[in-house]
């Protein structure tokens, strides 16, 4: 019988309380969020689009130097783990490292299993941005993120009440501004559409006053 007064379950790893995710639920949420984000990144990469955040910096490095997106993305996130640990706790940091590592790995593997014969840049922007935003939403709701600006955005939301999606949108626009050095105006416009779709998904759906499960 579940101890309701303490919010505990006899199922241990598999059990959960109304206000807290179980370890199994967190694992599923992190895996699902990472898979959605990796598929969205694959769509954007197939259309040679960009995005904001550390993922956008990873795309810029990939297009300009040919480096692996997954490796660059994972490496760029390393400095943000300190902020995550000191401001958002050990559990958040461990789950975020797991999400970033899994997403980085999947973005390297997916092109060998998924390809797009015809993919219009606008479609890639809309669906790719939505997939990444939905993946990040799943991670946020399990107290994890894709690192980088997502960590900073979550910290500012927790500290000052600023909407995480809007904060990240502002930071993403800075990264997209750098894309003028490499991309054509059409690619940049489509990339802005992708960033807007991603961040609107977060801004509309991620509210700590509505979703209180930890």
């Amino acid at each position: 019988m579940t101890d309701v007064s303490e919010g505990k379950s006899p199922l241990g790893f598999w059990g959960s309380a109304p206000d807290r995710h179980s370890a199994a639920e967190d694992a599923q949420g992190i895996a699902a969020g990472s898979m959605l984000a990796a598929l969205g990144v694959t769509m954007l990469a197939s259309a040679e689009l960009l995005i904001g955040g550390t993922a956008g910096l990873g795309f810029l490095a990939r297009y300009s130097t040919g480096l692996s997106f997954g490796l660059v993305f994972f490496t760029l996130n390393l400095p943000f783990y300190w902020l995550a640990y000191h401001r958002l706790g050990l559990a958040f940091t461990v789950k975020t490292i797991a999400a970033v590592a899994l997403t980085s790995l999947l973005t390297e593997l997916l092109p060998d299993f998924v390809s797009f014969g015809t993919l219009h840049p606008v479609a890639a922007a809309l669906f790719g941005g939505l997939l990444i935003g939905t993946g990040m939403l799943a991670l946020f709701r399990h107290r994890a993120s894709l690192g980088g600006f997502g960590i900073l955005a979550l910290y500012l939301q927790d500290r000052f009440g600023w909407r995480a999606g809007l904060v990240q949108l502002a930071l993403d626009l800075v990264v997209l501004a750098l894309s003028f050095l490499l991309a054509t105006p059409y690619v940049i416009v489509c990339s802005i559409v992708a960033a807007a779709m991603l961040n609107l998904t977060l801004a509309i759906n991620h509210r700590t006053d509505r979703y209180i499960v930890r």
Side-chain angles (χ1 to χ4, degrees):
M1 183 175 183
T2 301
D3 187 346
V4 178
S5 63
E6 297 183 7
K8 296 180 180 179
S9 167
L11 298 179
F13 177 83
W14 298 101
S16 62
D19 64 342
R20 185 178 296 274
H21 290 116
S22 68
E25 289 170 336
D26 279 339
Q28 185 278 333
I30 290 170
S34 300
M35 291 169 69
L36 288 170
L39 181 58
V41 167
T42 300
M43 291 188 72
L44 296 182
S46 296
E48 297 188 342
L49 299 183
L50 297 148
I51 198 70
T54 49
L57 295 176
F59 274 130
L60 289 173
R62 176 177 182 267
Y63 296 149
S64 61
T65 67
L67 291 173
S68 161
F69 170 87
L71 177 61
V72 173
F73 178 63
F74 183 81
T75 303
L76 286 173
N77 277 295
L78 293 177
F80 290 93
Y81 297 140
W82 181 90
L83 176 62
Y85 174 70
H86 286 278
R87 296 297 186 180
L88 297 167
L90 177 62
F92 177 91
T93 305
V94 170
K95 288 187 283 188
T96 293
I97 292 173
V100 171
L102 181 56
T103 302
S104 298
L105 176 63
L106 289 174
T107 57
E108 293 302 306
L109 297 177
L110 270 180
D112 293 331
F113 297 92
V114 177
S115 63
F116 300 92
T118 301
L119 183 60
H120 193 282
V122 174
L126 292 173
F127 287 93
L130 178 61
L131 282 168
I132 298 173
T134 304
M136 292 179 67
L137 179 64
L139 295 174
F140 283 4
R141 288 190 171 179
H142 287 270
R143 299 298 296 169
S145 79
L146 283 180
F149 295 162
I151 292 175
L152 182 59
L154 275 181
Y155 166 70
L156 293 175
Q157 176 168 281
D158 289 347
R159 181 68 176 82
F160 301 107
W162 299 353
R163 291 282 189 88
L166 297 179
V167 170
Q168 185 150 340
L169 178 59
L171 296 171
D172 287 348
L173 290 176
V174 174
V175 175
L176 287 173
L178 297 175
S179 66
F180 281 90
L181 300 174
L182 294 175
T184 65
Y186 181 66
V187 167
I188 292 171
V189 169
C190 291
S191 299
I192 292 173
V193 170
M197 177 63 74
L198 186 164
N199 289 289
L200 284 174
T201 299
L202 294 178
I204 293 171
N205 294 284
H206 184 65
R207 287 183 54 172
T208 55
D209 57 338
R210 286 181 178 168
Y211 193 82
I212 61 172
V213 179
R214 293 178 290 169

